[in-house]
């Protein structure tokens, strides 16, 4: 306990008491406990300067100029790092006050934060930045240069380095006949001292604990016999310099120089500011993918506690943490008990109580949420993100005791109750970060980082379906695809008879000039504020047919622009892009695709670059010149089967439009629009689809997937053997071939059986000697029997006459 001095005064039955700590640090509790109030005693924990105003049964803590806030000046008013400021929206560089241990014993201090869009550098200056000249030192009586950091104690700077993801510090030793590390293998004349007062005999620009300088790594030392420039001991100025970047050894606390006592010998050393980025505590993250828990040493908060962490989950309930005693008569617990309710439950003296936060938005949206909870003799409260605190105030003279005996459980309560599935990061208890990543155990379902089942899914989502993380499981969002099924693997296709067609209305009216101008200013590839992107297209489908010509796909617009994929009279596939006044014509393949087999087409345009692909072959790349229009303005409708657009249609389209497409087409998608899915799987009462003629659902045009078919036993939606029909127009020829082959195989098999059975029945072995010279000895038995049967009447007649 730090020695504290006090001063007091009494006004209107309230006693004002001020406390001053010798060592400084966070004010963990300015006055607490009914017994302490009754005796006029007040207990504090290493406070900087706090004032308690109290009566016989109540008190008020004044936290001005302490760097802390709350009912008992327990919570830091500052962020723990520059990274935390950046994540909270502070994007400008400048001086910031940070508190690496938050409500812990270290006091806040000022640093310079150099903000970038993807990370923030924390810079701390000191008194050795300008450089120091040294003469007259020896290895027995070296010069020791202490590095004093501005605005922060050594413990505070060390805490910053310890919590950072990466740190570096430049160090430079310039020498004139002054040796440094005395390489190779000698006793070092100079070295530096880092964290925990440990001496290090490696220099900047090299590997840790290797007695050499940076010039030895890149083989640029002045004298190759030595591993430092200065170790050559020349009467000329040289230097050894580089970055020290092993975070666990930093910051530099002292520099030792021990070879400047010879005539003319001199050295200068320079230590750069400590530069760190990242925050290991903020991003100390694990994922619970199975019902389990992890344990930490028992939480011993005393009379006040604060807890903070980030979480994300899709589950509607789960316990984040709990600490208790043997009989659960003294415990604290934080849990999500509904999609909107975050609860801080506790029993710390006066029965089971809780502070419940009712969020207006669901908290199981699989987004990061920041939770803060606090309990002391005045109140208990909890908040999430930027929502107001949910507060449970205690009556005067409340006695709070948090004397737990069980280990702290994270991820479940009482080891089995309501396990949490999701991600946790940045867990702090009274400002002390807990190393969640140190508890990683893949077998028990605890993974490093926020990685659930999506990362290593046995069957990933197909066809650009989005994986929705469930941690213990996952689902696939197929909304922006042309496919269906649990893994977005089921093709949705159709068979078009002669004269049938389908129209999908993209827009009901042209795009306004204001909206078009806004989209032109921000032509981002994923900008679908207009329902499309006029500088980017993504088209894919598969088809099979034996009839040609046909228009496979046509996208019209409210202007004269259009996109068409045409099956020509030769069976090749062409692309027509009309943008502005120019119609671009591209041949996708010179093969005949009207062969009754499924074929896959993919067309992607990004600004002036068009990539086309057929049957997963090598993509072909085309360019639109800079003088040509690259915008597909105001798309109107998509047509399958036949183009039935009102108004003039280009002659090139008309001559391929009759009699229409006859065959199968599947997986049709233009950007986010899937016309066949909208027709066969409508998710609205009035889908924007118009059809004419006979169009039946069929996957006869589906192209085999690259990743293979999903096994039926792995498909949660599988209900039985699924059949699809082969339409006569497409498969008649191949069906006939298959039938003929089957009949040939059948007749061949029957003939083989017949021959085999005949041979077994009409032949036998005999041991009787054969007259090899007799011609009749080679006659079959059946022939002999026929001859004997034929001569039988003559023998009978001779017998009667005789």
């Amino acid at each position: 306990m730090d020695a504290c001095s006090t001063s007091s005064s009494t006004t209107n039955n309230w006693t004002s008491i001020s406390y001053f700590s010798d060592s400084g640090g966070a004010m963990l509790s300015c006055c607490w406990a009914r017994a302490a109030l009754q005796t006029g005693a007040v207990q504090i924990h290493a406070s900087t300067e706090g004032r308690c105003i109290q009566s016989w049964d109540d008190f008020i803590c004044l936290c001005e100029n302490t760097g802390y806030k709350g009912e008992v000046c327990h919570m830091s008013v500052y962020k723990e790092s520059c990274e935390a400021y950046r994540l909270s929206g502070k994007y400008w560089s400048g001086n910031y006050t940070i508190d690496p241990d938050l409500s812990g014993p270290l006091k806040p201090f000022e640093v310079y934060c150099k903000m970038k869009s993807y990370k923030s550098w924390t810079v701390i200056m000191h008194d050795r930045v300008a450089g120091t000249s040294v003469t007259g030192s020896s290895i027995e009586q070296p010069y020791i240069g202490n590095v004093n950091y501005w605005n922060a104690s050594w413990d505070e700077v060390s805490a910053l380095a310890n919590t950072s993801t990466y740190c570096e510090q430049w160090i430079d030793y310039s020498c004139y006949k002054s040796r440094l590390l005395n390489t190779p293998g000698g006793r070092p004349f100079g070295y530096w001292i880092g964290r925990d007062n440990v001496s290090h005999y490696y220099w900047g620009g090299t590997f840790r604990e290797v007695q050499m300088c940076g010039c030895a790594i890149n083989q640029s030392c002045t004298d190759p016999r030595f591993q430092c420039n200065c170790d050559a001991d020349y009467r000329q100025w040289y230097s050894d310099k580089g970055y020290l970047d092993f975070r666990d050894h930093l910051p530099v606390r002292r520099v030792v120089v021990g070879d400047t006592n010879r005539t003319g010998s001199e050295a200068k050393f320079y230590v750069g500011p400590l530069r760190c980025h990242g925050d290991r505590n903020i991003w100390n993250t694990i994922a619970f993918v199975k019902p389990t828990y992890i344990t930490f040493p028992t939480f011993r908060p005393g009379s006040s506690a604060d807890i903070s962490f980030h979480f994300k989950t899709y589950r509607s309930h789960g316990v984040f943490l709990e600490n208790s005693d043997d009989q659960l008569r003294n415990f604290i617990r934080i849990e999500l008990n509904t999609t909107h309710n975050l609860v801080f439950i506790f029993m710390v003296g006066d029965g089971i109580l809780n502070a419940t936060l009712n969020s207006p938005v669901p908290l199981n949206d699989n987004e990061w949420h920041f939770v803060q909870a606090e309990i002391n003799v005045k109140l208990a409260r909890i908040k999430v993100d930027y929502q107001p605190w949910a507060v449970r105030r205690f009556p005067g003279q409340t006695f709070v005791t948090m004397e737990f005996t069980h280990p702290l459980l994270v991820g479940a309560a009482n080891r089995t109750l309501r396990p949490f599935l999701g991600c946790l990061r940045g867990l702090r208890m009274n400002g002390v970060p807990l190393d969640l990543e140190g508890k990683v155990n893949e077998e028990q379902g605890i993974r490093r980082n926020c990685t659930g089942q999506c990362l290593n899914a046995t069957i990933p989502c197909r066809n650009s379906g989005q994986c929705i993380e469930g941690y213990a499981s996952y689902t696939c969002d197929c909304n922006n695809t042309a496919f269906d099924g649990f893994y977005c693997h089921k093709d949705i296709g159709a068979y078009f008879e002669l004269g049938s067609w389908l129209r999908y209305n993209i827009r009901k009216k042209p795009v306004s000039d204001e909206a078009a101008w806004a989209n032109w200013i921000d032509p981002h590839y994923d900008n679908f504020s207009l329902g499309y992107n006029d500088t980017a297209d993504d088209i894919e489908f598969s088809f099979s047919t034996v009839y040609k010509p046909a228009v496979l796909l046509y996208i019209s617009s409210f202007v004269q622009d259009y996109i068409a994929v045409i099956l020509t009279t030769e069976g090749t596939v062409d692309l027509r892009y009309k943008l502005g006044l120019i119609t671009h014509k591209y041949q996708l393949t010179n093969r005949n695709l009207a062969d009754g087999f499924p074929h896959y087409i993919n067309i992607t345009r990004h600004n002036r670059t068009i990539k086309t692909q057929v049957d997963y072959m090598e993509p072909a790349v085309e360019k639109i010149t800079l003088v040509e229009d690259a915008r597909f303005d105001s798309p109107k409708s998509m047509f399958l089967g036949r183009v039935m657009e009102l108004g003039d249609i280009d002659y090139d389209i008309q001559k391929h439009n009759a009699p229409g497409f006859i065959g199968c087409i599947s997986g049709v998608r233009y950007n986010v629009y899937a016309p066949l899915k909208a027709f066969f799987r409508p998710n609205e009462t009035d889908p924007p689809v118009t059809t004419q003629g006979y169009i039946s659902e069929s996957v006869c045009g589906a192209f085999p997937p690259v990743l293979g078919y999903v096994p039926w036993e792995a498909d949660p939606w599988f209900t039985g053997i699924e059949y699809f029909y082969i339409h006569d127009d497409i498969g008649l020829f191949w069906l006939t071939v298959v039938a003929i082959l089957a009949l040939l195989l059948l007749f061949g098999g029957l003939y083989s059986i017949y021959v085999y059975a005949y041979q077994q029945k009409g032949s036998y072995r005999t041991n009787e000697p054969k007259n090899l010279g007799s011609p009749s000895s080679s006659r079959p038995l059946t022939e002999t029997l026929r001859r004997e049967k034929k001569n039988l009447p003559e023998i009978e007649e001779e017998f009667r006459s005789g």
Side-chain angles (χ1 to χ4, degrees):
M1 178 71 69
D2 297 322
C4 298
S5 59
T6 66
S7 63
S8 63
S9 61
T10 302
T11 305
N12 296 329
N13 297 324
W14 286 84
T15 301
S16 175
I17 307 176
S18 298
Y19 299 90
F20 306 93
S21 170
D22 293 343
S23 63
M27 184 177 195
L28 299 185
S29 176
C30 83
C31 39
W32 62 288
R34 178 174 56 198
L37 289 170
Q38 289 175 346
T39 60
V42 178
Q43 179 172 345
I44 68 170
H45 294 268
S47 64
T48 52
E49 179 180 351
R51 293 184 59 212
C52 263
I53 301 178
Q54 70 177 69
S55 66
W56 179 249
D57 59 357
D58 199 5
F59 67 91
I60 299 173
C61 289
L62 304 180
C63 309
E64 293 88 348
N65 301 320
T66 65
Y68 298 87
K69 60 184 178 180
E71 294 292 325
V72 292
C73 307
H74 189 68
M75 304 181 73
S76 179
V77 300
Y78 305 109
K79 300 291 185 183
E80 59 266 44
S81 63
C82 292
E83 180 71 5
Y85 279 112
R86 185 185 70 85
L87 294 174
S88 68
K90 306 288 187 180
Y91 299 120
W92 52 91
S93 300
N95 292 325
Y96 291 81
T97 300
I98 64 172
D99 192 350
D101 69 339
L102 295 178
S103 58
L106 300 177
K107 69 177 182 179
F109 56 95
E110 188 177 272
V111 298
Y112 181 82
C113 295
K114 186 176 182 180
M115 301 295 189
K116 295 183 178 295
S117 59
Y118 56 95
K119 66 181 176 183
S120 58
W121 285 94
T122 303
V123 182
I124 305 181
M125 303 298 290
H126 54 76
D127 59 356
R128 297 289 180 178
V129 172
T132 304
S133 296
V134 180
T135 58
S137 64
S138 65
I139 196 169
E140 291 79 17
Q141 294 182 335
Y143 174 85
I144 301 176
N146 292 317
V147 180
N148 300 307
Y149 292 87
W150 297 353
N151 305 319
S153 67
W154 172 250
D155 290 337
E156 291 157 0
V157 178
S158 298
L160 170 66
N162 189 51
T163 59
S164 299
T165 304
Y166 171 84
C167 288
E168 65 182 20
Q169 204 161 4
W170 182 265
I171 190 167
D172 184 340
Y173 185 85
S174 297
C175 54
Y176 187 92
K177 197 171 177 55
S178 175
R179 291 160 291 182
L180 179 56
L181 299 181
N182 198 18
T183 60
R187 178 184 176 184
F189 291 97
Y191 52 92
W192 62 279
I193 300 173
R195 196 186 309 180
D196 300 325
N197 275 328
V198 176
S199 300
H200 301 287
Y201 304 108
Y202 66 95
W203 209 248
T206 187
F207 307 110
R208 64 180 185 271
E209 306 304 354
V210 178
Q211 190 174 335
M212 62 177 60
C213 299
C215 68
I217 301 299
N218 53 32
Q219 299 181 354
S220 62
C221 293
T222 303
D223 190 331
R225 296 176 301 168
F226 303 98
Q227 295 172 333
C228 291
N229 290 320
C230 291
D231 288 345
D233 203 22
Y234 290 155
R235 291 184 177 273
Q236 188 175 349
W237 281 102
Y238 288 100
S239 67
D240 289 295
K241 54 191 174 183
Y243 278 108
L244 303 169
D245 57 6
F246 186 57
R247 184 200 62 232
D248 292 348
H249 290 173
L250 295 176
V252 177
R253 188 168 190 175
R254 297 182 180 90
V255 176
V256 178
V257 180
D259 187 27
T260 60
N261 61 339
R262 293 176 293 166
T263 303
S265 178
E266 184 180 357
K268 296 180 181 178
F269 71 87
Y270 163 86
V271 179
L274 178 67
R275 290 165 35 93
C276 301
H277 70 71
D279 191 321
R280 289 198 299 165
N281 296 327
I282 290 180
W283 297 110
N284 193 314
T285 309
I286 59 172
F288 292 91
V289 299
K290 294 180 183 178
T292 185
Y293 63 91
I294 57 178
T295 61
F296 289 96
T298 304
F299 183 41
R300 305 187 187 281
S303 62
S304 58
D306 66 88
I307 304 167
S308 64
F309 58 89
H310 296 77
F311 81 92
K312 64 186 296 188
T313 185
Y314 80 103
R315 304 271 292 190
S316 61
H317 62 275
V319 174
F320 299 112
L321 58 89
E322 181 192 76
N323 212 178
S324 65
D325 60 10
D326 294 330
Q327 287 80 32
L328 285 178
R329 295 177 180 175
N330 196 246
F331 71 89
I332 57 174
R333 181 191 306 149
I334 300 177
E335 67 178 77
L336 182 71
N337 67 356
T338 69
T339 59
H340 291 73
N341 286 354
L342 187 66
V343 184
F344 184 18
I345 307 173
F346 48 89
M347 183 176 180
V348 292
D350 292 326
I352 299 178
L353 302 173
N354 71 81
T356 301
L357 185 146
N358 297 309
S359 173
V361 296
L363 300 176
N364 63 334
D365 56 358
N366 211 36
E367 298 291 340
W368 283 114
H369 297 284
F370 180 48
V371 176
Q372 295 173 274
E374 180 186 10
I375 185 170
N376 52 61
V377 296
K378 299 280 287 184
L379 54 78
R381 61 180 184 170
I382 189 170
K383 71 173 297 186
V384 62
D385 300 331
Y386 296 102
Q387 299 183 31
W389 288 92
V391 181
R392 180 66 178 259
R393 293 193 174 274
F394 300 147
Q397 299 189 17
T398 295
F399 183 79
V400 171
T401 175
M402 288 181 279
E403 297 177 353
F404 309 126
T405 56
H406 282 181
L408 173 67
L409 301 182
V410 177
N414 199 20
R415 290 179 169 79
T416 58
L417 182 63
R418 294 186 295 280
F420 170 74
L421 293 177
C423 296
L424 285 178
R425 69 176 175 90
L427 174 60
R428 287 177 179 264
M429 310 287 289
N430 268 5
V432 178
L434 301 186
D435 185 14
L436 297 174
E437 293 181 354
K439 301 292 183 176
V440 168
N441 189 320
E442 289 279 350
E443 293 182 357
Q444 294 183 4
I446 305 168
R447 292 182 175 175
R448 188 183 306 275
N449 297 325
C450 192
T451 54
Q453 298 298 327
C454 284
L455 181 65
N456 299 310
T458 54
I459 301 179
C461 298
R462 305 288 182 84
N463 302 298
S464 301
Q466 181 182 2
C467 187
I468 305 301
E469 186 61 73
Y471 304 104
S473 61
Y474 68 96
T475 57
C476 296
D477 182 3
C478 310
N479 287 330
N480 291 333
T481 75
F483 295 82
D484 197 7
F486 187 84
Y487 304 105
C488 307
H489 63 289
K490 292 187 176 182
D491 222 308
I492 301 177
Y495 168 71
F496 285 77
E497 285 193 347
L498 178 63
S500 58
W501 54 268
L502 178 147
R503 180 181 68 205
Y504 180 93
N505 295 322
I506 298 174
R507 298 185 65 85
K508 295 181 179 180
K509 59 182 181 179
V511 179
S512 65
D513 294 339
E514 293 80 5
W517 174 252
N519 194 65
W520 182 81
I521 292 176
D522 184 21
H524 192 270
Y525 181 73
D526 294 324
N527 178 21
F528 292 106
S529 60
L530 303 179
Y532 75 101
N533 188 321
D534 62 0
T535 61
D537 302 302
D538 191 7
I539 299 170
E540 67 174 349
F541 64 91
S542 60
F543 75 97
S544 64
T545 185
V546 294
Y547 296 96
K548 53 189 178 182
V551 178
L552 300 175
L553 175 68
Y554 184 86
I555 305 173
S556 66
S557 69
F558 286 97
V559 293
Q560 297 300 313
D561 294 356
Y562 70 82
I563 303 173
V565 183
I566 298 171
L567 184 67
T568 66
T569 55
E570 292 79 20
T572 61
V573 175
D574 290 357
L575 171 64
R576 301 288 187 270
Y577 246 117
K578 185 175 182 184
L579 305 175
L581 301 176
I582 300 176
T583 301
H584 305 272
K585 300 180 180 181
Y586 309 102
Q587 186 180 65
L588 305 190
T589 179
N590 56 8
R591 294 187 293 121
N592 178 16
L593 300 188
D595 54 4
F597 288 104
H599 296 284
Y600 172 77
I601 304 294
N602 178 245
I603 302 165
T604 302
R605 180 177 70 95
H606 187 202
N607 291 327
R608 300 181 181 275
T609 302
I610 301 174
K611 292 183 179 181
T612 60
Q613 188 179 34
V614 177
D615 291 348
Y616 300 134
M617 303 295 287
E618 188 70 22
V621 180
E622 305 288 348
K623 293 285 188 179
I624 301 175
T625 62
L626 294 175
V627 297
E628 297 171 329
D629 190 0
R631 297 174 58 195
F632 181 51
D633 290 322
S634 199
K636 179 182 179 183
S637 302
M638 296 175 61
F639 288 91
L640 301 176
R642 191 171 182 179
V643 181
M644 302 299 293
E645 185 63 277
L646 300 176
D648 295 334
I649 301 176
D650 281 5
Y651 174 74
D652 196 25
I653 303 299
Q654 290 181 4
K655 71 179 184 179
H656 294 88
N657 199 34
F661 175 72
I662 305 171
C664 303
I665 189 165
S666 290
V668 182
R669 179 179 63 85
Y670 167 59
N671 290 348
V672 297
Y673 306 113
L676 293 179
K677 187 175 184 179
F679 179 53
F680 292 115
R681 306 285 192 277
N683 57 5
E684 50 186 312
T685 56
D686 187 20
V689 180
T690 303
T691 63
Q692 181 173 308
Y694 180 74
I695 302 175
S696 60
E697 184 174 358
S698 174
V699 294
C700 53
F703 194 79
V706 174
L707 299 177
Y709 294 99
V710 174
W712 65 266
E713 62 271 14
D715 186 358
W717 291 7
F718 181 79
T719 56
I721 299 177
E722 300 174 351
Y723 299 93
F724 65 90
Y725 297 96
I726 300 177
H727 294 273
D728 293 340
D729 302 86
I730 301 302
L732 182 59
F733 171 75
W734 295 109
L735 185 61
T736 304
V737 171
V738 172
I740 292 173
L741 290 174
L743 289 174
L744 290 174
L745 289 173
L746 177 62
F747 287 131
L750 291 174
Y751 178 75
S752 299
I753 294 172
Y754 169 75
V755 171
Y756 177 77
Y758 175 79
Q759 289 176 348
Q760 294 296 323
K761 180 179 179 180
S763 63
Y764 67 93
R765 296 179 181 271
T766 178
N767 294 324
E768 295 181 2
K770 293 183 179 180
N771 184 3
L772 299 177
S774 173
S776 64
S777 65
S778 62
R779 292 182 300 188
L781 176 63
T782 53
E783 184 178 350
T784 303
L785 291 175
R786 284 199 301 270
R787 287 178 177 271
E788 291 178 355
K789 185 176 181 180
K790 182 179 180 181
N791 296 329
L792 183 61
E794 298 177 357
I795 296 173
E796 290 179 350
E797 185 64 27
E798 291 178 359
F799 178 77
R800 290 192 188 96
S801 62

